Amino acid sequence: MINADQKRRLVTMAEEYYQKNQFKPETDSQLRRFSEVARQASCIEEFENFMKYQIGRKPSQFRKGLIDEVEEVKKFAKEELLEAISHYFGYMARFAKFVKEGKGKE
């Protein structure tokens, strides 16, 4: 199980990456799909294969940059890597929804 410090780091990473790359971001539903695949994958190679497939299907700088983000997560979440990656994309999906809906404007 990933700890609170790791979760804090993942939230920060996800929000910063999304904000820096809003030129053509993913939809929150696609980000949730990344999260779900990471949660269901048996190994990191399976998840990375899915990412490569998605990049091949619809190449974008946003998607290509996610490979580097996953590499960064690998550095501090060795034991629960797929759980951490799933959380990362889940946090990013939540933030994407927040940004899309006008940052809470009514």
Side-chain angles (χ1 to χ4, degrees):
M1 181 170 216
I2 59 176
N3 64 43
D5 288 335
Q6 290 171 318
K7 287 180 180 182
R8 229 178 266 109
R9 187 169 179 182
L10 291 166
V11 168
T12 301
M13 283 177 62
E15 289 183 3
E16 286 178 358
Y17 184 80
Y18 191 86
Q19 288 221 299
K20 283 191 288 186
N21 294 287
Q22 282 192 36
F23 49 88
K24 187 152 175 136
E26 289 295 325
T27 62
D28 60 303
S29 60
Q30 180 60 38
L31 294 168
R32 288 189 194 288
R33 181 74 180 124
F34 279 122
S35 177
E36 184 67 21
V37 170
R39 191 176 64 74
Q40 293 178 357
S42 301
C43 61
I44 186 62
E45 291 83 5
E46 182 179 6
F47 175 76
E48 290 174 333
N49 177 264
F50 175 76
M51 281 189 64
K52 290 172 187 173
Y53 168 72
Q54 291 299 315
I55 292 167
R57 259 183 79 236
K58 184 179 173 186
S60 72
Q61 285 305 108
F62 189 91
R63 286 186 181 191
K64 290 175 184 176
L66 291 174
I67 291 174
D68 294 333
E69 290 291 287
V70 168
E71 289 301 315
E72 190 63 31
V73 174
K74 284 180 178 181
K75 292 176 183 177
F76 68 88
K78 295 177 184 351
E79 295 295 316
E80 302 294 339
L81 180 57
L82 289 168
E83 179 186 1
I85 292 169
S86 179
H87 279 280
Y88 172 82
F89 283 106
Y91 298 144
M92 189 181 290
R94 290 177 189 169
F95 189 71
K97 187 70 161 180
F98 170 74
V99 170
K100 180 182 174 187
E101 297 302 324
K103 298 183 182 179
K105 293 180 185 173
E106 293 182 11

